[in-house]
Amino acid sequence: MSPVQKRRIFIALLLLMLVFAGIAGKLFWIQIATAESYSSRDINLVKNSVIQRQRALVLQSGRGQILDRHGKPMTGKMAKALVAFPIHSDYQMSRQDADRLARILQTSSERWLTFLQNLKEPQVWGAGESGAFAQLSDSQAGQIEALGLPNIKVVDMEDRYPAEMTARQLIGFIGQNPERVQELYGTDVAKGKMALTTKIGGSGLEKSFDTWLRGLGETSISYFTDAGKRPLAGLDARLIAPNNAYYPVKLVTTLDMDIEAKIEALMDKLGIKEGAAVVQDAEHGDVIAMASRPNFDQSDVRLSSNNWINYAVKATAPGSIFKTVVAAAALDEKVVSPTETFNCEGALGKYGFTCWLKGGHGPLTLEQGFAESCNIVFANVMKRLTAPQLERYANKLGVLNDVGWTGKTDTMEAFRQFDSEEPGQLFASHTPHDDEGVLMQTAIGQRDVRMTPLAASNLIVTLLHDGKGFEPRVVQEIQYQTGREMEKFPVKKLTSPDGVITAATSRTLLDWMREVVTDGTGQSLKGATWNLAGKSGTAQLQSGKQEKINQWFIGYGPVEAPKYAVSVVVKNTGPADKNQSMPLFKGIMDILAASGTSDSR
């Protein structure tokens, strides 16, 4: 062999040794030096390798609880459940044990044995596709534990959304959304702290407060397998849970769960298929109850359906409740004198504009026109106002913007409590603002006008405070598990660059709302427990070739010392359908009257 050939072989062997040394170094770096913090993303390879061998059943999501204002849990009810594991392959349950267990579970032995034989993963007895499971009584749990069977275990399992739960649309739901998980929590995914399949908030408070609610991780009962998914000897079922006394957190809302439940039961009793109700305390505007219909099941969410949408924060045609804004503008701008009358003959004589009372009301002052909700009076008043003036007063009363609590927190620069709250609307982008016919339709809350039930009830709160309103809260604070305060959401004033309406106008409108009940369109409310005041509204909508109606009533009570502001809307009813908004409003006020004094924090 020539010297040249020897040198070539030496160089090749040297290069080969360098390659092997590089591979060995890389393996050392991955497996030992940075196993728990690999790459710039700090990926935990040890944890991820364990996850690959682990078969787990989630018992608790690790999400924070949502509580009402009295500390009553609205989510996260704990219940006992039976879990079966496909482990101890040498063990076969005897017929005698199966019979005993079946009797305790109130099922047949055949059904239980079939369930057991089909196990490939840990599974909860009685679990359905919706996420519900068979809940055990304390007696059943004790009897099962006394059997001492090796492949079953009684556990405490979270029922995130109990069957009796209320305020479902406001609270929202959680679900899997890998793309959103990656977008919001990509760093945690890379570090192995969170999986792409982790359930996160999909709507409502679950979504808007997800950063706090998602907690530190799930509590699961697990067992470990080899590459062939066979149980590893010596590794029995074990409970795995985050070890932190401060988490999960508690979301303390302003809601009253008992009032909420009674209001929702009333809506169902009245047969309300589509609509919303909002109750705010008069002192600070906090939301005491917020109900939406149709209802939905958070464990079986169908996004193509609208039943999960919170109609309390969705803008819809307000009809005559918008006359409150027009009246505020007319009073503050002094375009109408108190004694001046407008003659209603049932029709204006142009634009096809008519009053709801076909025969007409005759001569009415603005005050009487408000009580009788006369369209002709407000059409004539609107002739003396401009579109910019009307827009300013709509802004002053907070009906064109989203009004829910917005502000800076310790972790966020701009945070909104209400998920997907919509702003109101006065004119559509294509609508000519200076057209007289358009302005007249706008003045009675028709055409392009839109308002949310939350903004409508908050309008009442604003009037009750001489034109100086609040940004309604639904969450007052977040607490650590220990009860210590984590985040505080203070009471905030509602501000507008257009300022506020005068105190005198606010008080006048509140007095006129009382006349609506004593002498006007709201006389069916006279028999309520409290003396009530408010404003009715009927908005006409076109749904294809069909005419639909939004029925509204907004107001406050008791008149002598207001405690609550309430708005209700019953959406998309037929033109000939009986009015349900006033029975609903009256029923809600009676519920509030029976509940005692508002517990405002």
Side-chain angles (χ1 to χ4, degrees):
M1 183 180 297
S2 68
V4 173
Q5 288 177 318
K6 290 180 179 180
R7 189 171 68 178
R8 286 177 178 173
I9 292 173
F10 174 77
I11 292 173
L13 290 173
L14 182 62
L15 289 173
L16 193 60
M17 288 176 63
L18 290 173
V19 168
F20 279 119
I23 292 172
K26 185 67 173 179
L27 288 173
F28 172 82
W29 182 258
I30 292 173
Q31 294 183 358
I32 298 175
T34 62
E36 296 187 9
S37 182
Y38 178 64
S39 85
S40 61
R41 290 185 164 186
D42 291 335
I43 297 174
N44 192 321
L45 297 176
V46 173
K47 186 172 184 177
N48 284 328
S49 68
V50 171
I51 289 172
Q52 289 178 355
R53 300 192 304 271
Q54 180 182 352
R55 296 293 176 268
L57 180 72
V58 175
L59 303 181
Q60 291 178 249
S61 64
R63 291 184 71 81
Q65 278 189 315
I66 299 176
L67 313 177
D68 84 342
R69 67 197 293 111
H70 304 295
K72 295 179 181 179
M74 302 183 75
T75 61
K77 175 184 175 184
M78 299 302 295
K80 294 190 181 300
L82 180 64
V83 178
F85 299 88
I87 57 177
H88 299 302
S89 56
D90 57 337
Y91 168 76
Q92 295 292 326
M93 181 176 286
S94 69
R95 182 70 190 201
Q96 185 179 17
D97 285 339
D99 290 342
R100 289 174 181 171
L101 187 58
R103 279 196 298 273
I104 297 171
L105 295 175
Q106 298 177 353
T107 187
S108 67
S109 301
E110 289 72 20
R111 185 182 172 206
W112 166 256
L113 289 170
T114 299
F115 165 76
L116 202 61
Q117 290 164 4
N118 292 333
L119 283 180
K120 295 180 181 179
E121 302 283 346
Q123 192 168 333
V124 179
W125 167 251
E129 292 183 5
S130 66
F133 57 91
Q135 298 185 10
L136 305 177
S137 67
D138 290 340
S139 174
Q140 285 176 307
Q143 292 177 63
I144 292 171
E145 288 175 338
L147 294 177
L149 301 177
N151 65 326
I152 63 172
K153 190 175 184 66
V154 174
V155 298
D156 289 320
M157 193 163 184
E158 179 187 36
D159 185 2
R160 182 69 183 174
Y161 305 121
E164 68 276 11
M165 182 180 168
T166 56
R168 290 175 179 266
Q169 288 84 356
L170 172 60
I171 289 172
F173 63 87
I174 57 173
Q176 291 183 343
N177 190 334
E179 290 182 2
R180 193 160 173 267
V181 169
Q182 183 63 47
E183 177 187 348
L184 296 177
Y185 307 116
T187 302
D188 286 348
V189 171
K191 291 180 179 180
K193 296 179 179 179
M194 190 175 184
L196 287 174
T197 55
T198 299
K199 290 183 178 181
I200 61 172
S203 73
L205 299 180
E206 293 277 28
K207 182 179 179 181
S208 54
F209 286 86
D210 190 69
T211 301
W212 293 283
L213 287 173
R214 70 186 183 95
L216 298 179
E218 302 165 336
T219 295
S220 60
I221 193 163
S222 306
Y223 75 108
F224 296 86
T225 62
D226 60 18
K229 296 187 178 182
R230 293 180 294 270
L232 291 173
L235 286 179
D236 206 340
R238 60 182 59 188
L239 195 70
I240 299 175
N243 184 21
N244 192 308
Y246 293 95
Y247 290 88
V249 300
K250 294 181 283 189
L251 208 67
V252 183
T253 70
T254 60
L255 300 172
D256 187 306
M257 195 163 68
D258 293 336
I259 290 174
E260 178 79 33
K262 290 173 183 176
I263 289 173
E264 294 193 19
L266 175 63
M267 294 178 78
D268 293 339
K269 181 180 178 181
L270 292 172
I272 293 171
K273 297 178 181 178
E274 190 175 351
V278 179
V279 178
Q280 292 177 255
D281 76 61
E283 185 180 358
H284 293 132
D286 286 343
V287 175
I288 304 298
M290 181 176 279
S292 183
R293 285 295 180 270
N295 214 346
F296 84 115
D297 181 357
Q298 287 134 307
S299 58
D300 186 21
V301 180
R302 302 176 190 275
L303 294 179
S304 58
S305 168
N306 290 333
N307 59 1
W308 59 275
I309 293 174
N310 184 4
Y311 283 127
V313 294
K314 295 302 178 184
T316 190
S320 292
I321 66 168
F322 187 76
K323 291 173 182 173
T324 310
V325 177
V326 181
L331 290 169
D332 261 10
E333 295 294 326
K334 296 180 171 57
V335 299
V336 178
S337 68
T339 58
E340 183 178 3
T341 60
F342 302 86
N343 191 40
C344 171
E345 296 178 349
L348 188 66
K350 53 182 177 179
Y351 312 121
F353 193 93
T354 61
C355 187
W356 64 268
L357 188 62
K358 292 184 179 180
H361 290 97
L364 295 172
T365 63
L366 178 57
E367 179 178 354
Q368 293 168 329
F370 186 85
E372 295 290 350
S373 200
C374 177
N375 291 345
I376 303 303
V377 169
F378 279 84
N380 282 299
V381 169
M382 194 62 226
K383 290 180 181 180
R384 304 178 187 184
L385 295 167
T386 64
Q389 283 178 320
L390 188 60
E391 186 172 16
R392 282 202 303 274
Y393 282 89
N395 280 323
K396 288 179 180 184
L397 290 168
V399 300
L400 295 187
N401 301 306
D402 35 2
V403 297
W405 197 98
T406 303
K408 184 178 179 180
T409 70
D410 289 345
T411 53
M412 295 187 190
E413 286 295 320
F415 174 71
R416 295 181 180 276
Q417 289 199 358
F418 291 93
D419 172 43
S420 302
E421 181 190 358
E422 293 180 349
Q425 177 180 281
L426 194 59
F427 302 105
S429 58
H430 62 276
T431 302
H433 300 183
D434 56 352
D435 182 277
E436 185 179 67
V438 168
L439 289 175
M440 288 179 179
Q441 288 290 335
T442 301
I444 62 171
Q446 291 288 161
R447 197 177 171 92
D448 304 326
V449 185
R450 299 292 182 269
M451 190 188 303
T452 67
L454 177 60
S457 62
N458 205 53
L459 180 157
I460 300 295
V461 176
T462 299
L463 295 177
L464 290 170
H465 288 269
D466 293 337
K468 301 170 185 176
F470 298 94
E471 292 184 6
R473 299 182 302 175
V474 71
V475 173
Q476 47 191 324
E477 67 177 338
I478 302 173
Q479 297 177 353
Y480 290 108
Q481 190 62 220
T482 58
R484 180 183 167 189
E485 181 185 299
M486 180 187 190
E487 289 274 7
K488 188 78 174 178
F489 302 95
V491 173
K492 288 187 65 179
K493 290 285 186 179
L494 182 67
T495 60
S496 167
D498 292 306
V500 299
I501 68 170
T502 64
T505 290
S506 296
R507 293 165 192 161
T508 297
L509 290 172
L510 292 172
D511 289 340
W512 288 6
M513 287 182 177
R514 178 57 184 154
E515 291 179 37
V516 169
V517 175
T518 58
D519 303 297
T521 56
Q523 293 187 58
S524 64
L525 302 175
K526 283 183 178 179
T529 304
W530 282 337
N531 288 326
L532 304 177
K535 182 71 188 79
S536 61
T538 304
Q540 296 174 325
L541 306 165
Q542 202 67 32
S543 178
K545 294 183 179 180
Q546 287 186 317
E547 181 184 331
K548 295 290 184 180
I549 301 292
N550 280 351
Q551 303 170 356
W552 286 83
F553 201 90
I554 62 174
Y556 65 96
V559 169
E560 298 78 11
K563 293 181 180 178
Y564 300 100
V566 174
S567 72
V568 301
V569 60
V570 183
K571 293 166 57 74
N572 296 319
T573 65
D577 289 350
K578 183 180 179 181
N579 186 292
Q580 293 176 302
S581 63
M582 281 189 273
L584 177 57
F585 180 87
K586 179 182 176 182
I588 290 173
M589 282 299 189
D590 284 347
I591 289 168
L592 295 170
S595 69
T597 305
S598 168
D599 178 24
S600 180
R601 295 191 180 188

